[in-house]
Amino acid sequence: MLTRWERTPRDGARSLGEGTPAGARLRETAEFFEFMQAELVGVLDRWRESRTTSG
């Protein structure tokens, strides 16, 4: 799901031109979703660990 959320603004940034203000905002949004996707793996691991240690 986050991959789609990343792809859509990245495609929009390319369409508008990444050097334009709108394109730069969309590129940054895509980078945020890319970051969130990478971080989510660790969050899920920590969640599972907390569930096993808290009983």
Side-chain angles (χ1 to χ4, degrees), residues 9-53:
R10 193 171 304 282
D11 291 347
R14 284 189 200 111
S15 294
L16 294 171
E18 293 187 21
T20 66
R25 286 191 301 272
L26 286 171
R27 185 188 71 243
E28 184 176 17
T29 299
E31 290 169 356
F32 172 76
F33 285 123
E34 183 179 24
F35 171 81
M36 287 296 296
Q37 188 167 350
E39 290 296 309
L40 189 56
V41 173
V43 169
L44 291 172
D45 288 344
R46 290 189 299 279
W47 167 250
R48 288 185 199 104
E49 184 178 324
S50 77
R51 302 294 292 160
T52 60
T53 59

